[in-house]
Structures are given as C-alpha cells and as structure tokens.
Amino acid sequence: MPTDSTGITVSGLKFEYPNESFAIRVDSLVVMPGEAVAIVGPSGCGKSTLLRVMAGLLSPHAGRVQMGAHDVHSLSARALREFRLRSVGLVFQDFALLDYLTVEENVLLPVRLGGFDSESSVARAHELIGQLGIAVHTRRLTREISQGERQRVAIARALAHQPRFVFADEPTASLDAVRRDIVGSLLLDYARRESAPLILVTHDPALQQRFDRVVDFTELSA
Amino acid sequence: MSPSAALQLAARYVMRHRMQSLLLSLALGAALALPAAVRVFAKTVEREMRARAAATPQVLGARGSALDLMLTALYYRRQPVEPVLMRQIDEVRATGFADAIPLHVRHHAQEAPIVGTELEYFSFRRLVAASGRLFTRLGDCVVGAHVARERGIKPGDFIFSSPEQVFDIAGIYPLKMRVSGVLAESFSPDDAAVFVDVKTAWLIEGRAHGHDDLAQADAGANVLKREAGNVVGNAAVRMFNEVTEANIGSFHFHGDVAGYPVTAAIVLPHDAKSEAILAGRYQDAKAAAQLIRPRDELDTVLSTLFRIEGAVVAGLALLACAAAAISFIVFTLSFKMRAREFATLGDIGIPPRTLAAIKAFEVALIGIAGVIVAAATVLLVLKLGPALVLRALR
C-alpha cells in the first residue's frame, strides 16, 4: 500500500531531443493525489514525450518533476529505477509486452523481476485480469490474443504492483466502446481508491469527459 | 533483483523458441563433440588393432607388402597377397623354434571370409564353440558369432561358399558346407568369419574333389575308356558339391599337399630367443618368404594414422572455435533484435544487472544444452565405438 502518496508537480520543464528542433516546455502542472488528468493535443505535439519525462524515462534539460517526496530527476539512476519499479505504473502506447510470456507472466513480470512478488501481488494480478475480462486467456501467450486484449494485459501489468503514480499513453486506442469504458473505469477507480495521481494521454473525447481535468498540451507549453 | 525470476524468464525464452534453441545447442554440441569423438574413436581403433596384433607374435607369408600380409592374416582383409606353400610352413615347424598355424584366406561365403586353418587356431585365439562343436571332418565349418546372428545360422544348417567368378563355368563351384558349430562372441574379426579345415579350403579351391566311383563294376555308363589300370570318366560322372557320410570316401587330393598354397601362417615361437633366431633367418631379401611382427607393422601404420588424426583434431578444434564465434554472433544479433524488449524492462525499472543476468542465463542454458549434446555424443562413441571399429575391421 502507498504510504506517502501525494501529487505530482511539474515546474519550468524543458526538454528537447538531441539534433532535433522538436522541444517541449511546461511552465507548471500540478496533479493532486487521486486526481485524474487527461492530456490532449494534436498528434506529434509531444504529449508522449512529456509523459516519459514526467515518469523519469527521459531527463529534462531544465525544470523539476516532483512526485510525492521525490524530485525525480535528482535521484541517482539506481534510485530512479527502484522508484519506477515500485511506485510508477506505466501503460505504453505499443503495450510493450513480451510475446513469449503468457498473460499472467506478463502481468507479474515487474513484481517477479523486482523481487517483491507475494501471494497478495499474485492475487491482485488475477483480480485485475478478471476485472479486465481476460481471465480466459490467463495461460495463453500474449502473441495469441487480440490487440484489444493485449492492451488490457498492459494495463493489468501497470497496476499489478499497486503503483502510487500512474501514467498511461493512449490506453484505450485499440478498444471498442464497452471495453474502453471498462478500462477507463478501472484506471479512474484505481486512482481514486489509492489516491494515486493518474495522468493519461488520449484522443478519446468520451474518455476525457470522465476525467477530473483535461489539459490541452498546446496551452501547457505556450 | 530476483535471480530465480531472471533464470525463469531466460528459460521461458529458450523453451518458447525451442526449435531455434535446439538447433543452436545441437550445432554447438556437435562442434564441441567432434574433436573429442574423433580422438575417442581413434583411440578405440588403436586399442582394438593393437590387442590383436600384440596377441600374434609373428606371421609368415610370401614376400611383398608386410602391411597387406598383416591385414590379411589378422583381419581377413581381401588384400593381394601371394600364397606360400605348406612346405614352407613345415620348414618353420621343423626348426623346432616355433609352432605354425596355416591360414587360407581366399574364399568367402557371401561377405564372410572363409578361413581355412587347423584346430590349433581356436586354442591360440581362445575361441570356443557356444553351440555345436568345432569342425571334425572335411566339409564342416564353424561360423563366427556375428555371421550366425546376422544370418540366423545354427549347428546343423548349411552354407555355401561363393563362386569366385560367377560367369566362369570352368571355375570353382560352390561347396555346400555343414555348420558344425557357432563360436562364442570374441569381439574380434573372428566373429565375422567362417572357419573350415585347411583341407576344406583346398577342396573349395578345387585341389581336391569327390565324384562317382568309376572303379565300381556298375560304373560302366560313366566310363569313357579304361587303359592300363587308368579309368577315364565321361561327362556323366557326378561331381559332389557336398561332403556327406556316404560320399566322404570318394574325396581325394591330387598332387603333393606340401606344395599346396596357403595365405599365411601364424608363427608361435617357443621363447624370445627362438623368435629372434627365426626373425634373423627371414631377414634375407632373397628368401621366398617373409616373417613379420604384426605389432611392428601396426606401429608403422598407426604412427602415420595418428599424425593425420592430429591434423584432423586440430582442424576440428578450429571448427569448434568457429562454431563458438558464430554462436556469439547469433546471441549478439538476437539480443540486438530484442533491444525493444530489454528497453521496456529497463523502463519498468528492471536494473541493468538483472537484464545482463537474463542474457547470461539464456547463453548458459544453450551452452549447457550444447555441452550435454557433446557429452552424449562422446558417450555414444565410447559405447558404439568398439562395435563400429570391429565392423570396419571385419
């Protein structure tokens, strides 16, 4: 269970890819504990990059990302990895599943490799698998299931270790309306129940409506 | 980090890509096993050949290739060896320095060589009948264990000698031989041979024969002419191709047996001094016969063989190094192709040392499988090597 779950504060953030003209800038963004924020904007504007910088996967050239008590980018590489492994839930745009593992093995991958798996984490993984409607595929390889099902496996993997912060990049892009609602509800319920800030990049207007706040990326970096 | 989880993940990858993993392991295993297997096989050849050569003190044969003589007398290989005469063998016996056992290795029954010899040969090689008995009369044969097993032969059965020339109607006719016994397995070339008395070998060769008795009063229809105590038979005279109790009395040899040919003789000197004296007597290059020490001839052959073996093993060791290098490239490329997978694990927060451990475990699993394949191959060669060598020597 998260013990010091607080919000996320981004201030004076600047990031640009080496040798590219592309750059992002965020003066200020605050996400409260349990708050669900949807980031919207045109394709290619830098939403996913912002998400990766906030999650500690990319280092900014300037500015701070405060997650709970941690100034993420001032942590050592080792401490940052440990922080991500234990406290951050990531849903990647391309799912990033290991196709030679089963659904269950993919969901439990971070906790097992991190060495903090337990009966409760296994039970929680199975609960998530059930809630996401993929229990029937528990022991099937992820390469044998549909895109939508793979996306739900990615979401289950992101939440299985009960992260204190959740970042999701287009998590409902491959889902039909019914599944989109289920996944949306699951993420929102999690954020509220665990008081975990949820930051989600999406183009889906229906999903945006259910979020506490919708932030237009172009205004954020203006 | 959880090492067991890293091992589990590596094992999953290997198992879920079992065909590729299996092929890689087999290739590695084969490359590792080949030099060792060749070495083991060569050692087995050497041991088997040396054992028989060491047990055979001297061999008498016609002048010519000592190697051919040794291969014929010890391993019954069909080599172009000139015969020696029984007289020359009797001369060795007459010296009082040694016993001599004649060997007539010319004919065959299908693929099995027919070895004409004397009963002393069996005690010399410590060969005993597993069933039946050794030959006791003209026309009998004793078959080696391998021949009996391959052809389902038992005492009381018959086998035929093979004609030398199928299309030569004036040539040697097949002899129907009664199997008097089957030898116990000796794991030597004797297992693949058919043994007959040397007189039976001469019978096959046509130096003796049996036919209707023309001296009988009722033989008139078979007689072409009678003159001065000499009876000439006509084409109706029956030649016997089988020795039976009824016709054995009609078999007879023409000419002096001392002038009959044999292929070689195993010479058994009574002591080292006798051996040296006998060897000295046959040193003369003008002598009609030669007396060789099989172990010396074998040393010459094996020294050449093992020089070649050394080069082969070195070549195979290079091949193993090349296979290891190729495996390294395969693993490197595989990990490069899976860069996204490892990047994802890194993004989740899996430390680099865990990622390195996953890769190391994958390499180790394939490597261990390769070593198991190599060990199994070497064990297989150790188990089957002697049988293969014997088959090659038969």
Side-chain angles (χ1 to χ4, degrees), chain B residues 63-358:
Chain B
R63 286 228 162 251
S65 165
L67 177 63
D68 285 347
L69 176 60
M70 183 195 68
L71 289 174
T72 306
L74 270 64
Y75 307 105
Y76 313 135
R77 309 297 295 183
R78 289 183 202 163
Q79 305 292 335
V81 175
E82 288 295 317
V84 287
L85 303 178
M86 272 305 287
R87 182 179 299 117
Q88 292 169 288
I89 294 169
D90 291 338
E91 285 169 7
V92 171
R93 287 169 172 159
T95 61
F97 292 128
D99 294 325
I101 303 168
L103 291 172
H104 186 289
V105 188
R106 174 180 162 187
H107 305 290
H108 53 97
Q110 292 181 5
E111 287 304 307
I114 295 173
V115 180
T117 186
E118 293 174 352
L119 288 171
E120 285 73 20
Y121 181 82
F122 299 101
S123 51
F124 163 65
R125 291 280 188 216
R126 294 192 177 85
L127 299 172
V128 291
S131 59
R133 52 182 166 67
L134 302 179
F135 49 73
T136 52
R137 63 148 219 217
L138 195 69
D140 276 0
C141 70
V142 186
V143 298
H146 178 72
V147 178
R149 195 166 50 239
E150 289 281 299
R151 302 191 197 171
I153 294 171
K154 57 186 185 306
D157 290 345
F158 292 88
I159 57 174
F160 284 88
S161 64
S162 302
E164 283 188 322
Q165 291 279 343
V166 177
F167 303 107
D168 182 4
I169 57 171
I172 298 160
Y173 287 92
L175 178 70
K176 185 180 180 183
M177 297 177 288
R178 184 181 69 175
V179 177
S180 64
V182 174
L183 293 174
E185 191 152 28
S186 62
F187 303 99
S188 72
D190 296 324
D191 290 340
V194 173
F195 292 93
V196 296
D197 187 272
V198 68
K199 291 187 179 69
T200 304
W202 289 328
L203 179 60
I204 296 168
E205 203 168 51
R207 295 183 185 277
H209 60 207
H211 50 73
D212 289 332
D213 188 355
L214 298 179
Q216 295 283 331
D218 58 353
N222 292 341
V223 175
L224 189 64
K225 59 180 177 182
R226 294 178 191 273
E227 49 185 27
N230 200 17
V231 183
V232 180
N234 61 26
V237 176
R238 282 184 304 153
M239 302 294 289
F240 301 129
N241 76 330
E242 178 188 359
V243 181
T244 64
E245 298 300 336
N247 70 16
I248 191 167
S250 73
F251 281 87
H252 51 277
F253 290 82
H254 292 275
D256 181 8
V257 170
Y260 281 12
V262 290
T263 310
I266 293 173
V267 176
L268 309 171
H270 298 316
D271 49 41
K273 184 180 174 187
S274 302
E275 185 178 348
I277 293 170
L278 275 175
R281 289 192 180 182
Y282 287 90
Q283 286 290 318
D284 185 0
K286 290 176 186 166
Q290 62 175 334
L291 190 66
I292 62 165
R293 266 167 51 102
R295 78 191 77 170
D296 294 343
E297 300 306 322
L298 197 64
D299 282 344
T300 310
V301 175
L302 291 180
S303 64
T304 308
L305 192 69
F306 289 119
R307 269 204 298 276
I308 297 167
E309 184 224 338
V312 171
V313 169
L316 290 173
L318 273 176
L319 183 72
C321 291
I326 290 169
S327 300
F328 174 78
I329 292 167
V330 167
F331 279 117
T332 306
L333 287 175
S334 166
F335 293 143
K336 262 193 175 165
M337 286 172 69
R338 293 163 60 200
R340 176 75 186 98
E341 171 190 329
F342 290 111
T344 299
L345 294 174
D347 286 351
I348 289 170
I350 307 302
R353 67 173 186 279
T354 304
L355 301 182
I358 293 168

Side-chain angles (χ1 to χ4, degrees), chain B residues 46-59:
Chain B
E46 183 186 3
R47 191 176 59 243
E48 296 294 333
M49 291 188 81
R50 274 194 199 286
R52 196 163 174 88
T56 311
Q58 290 175 315
V59 172

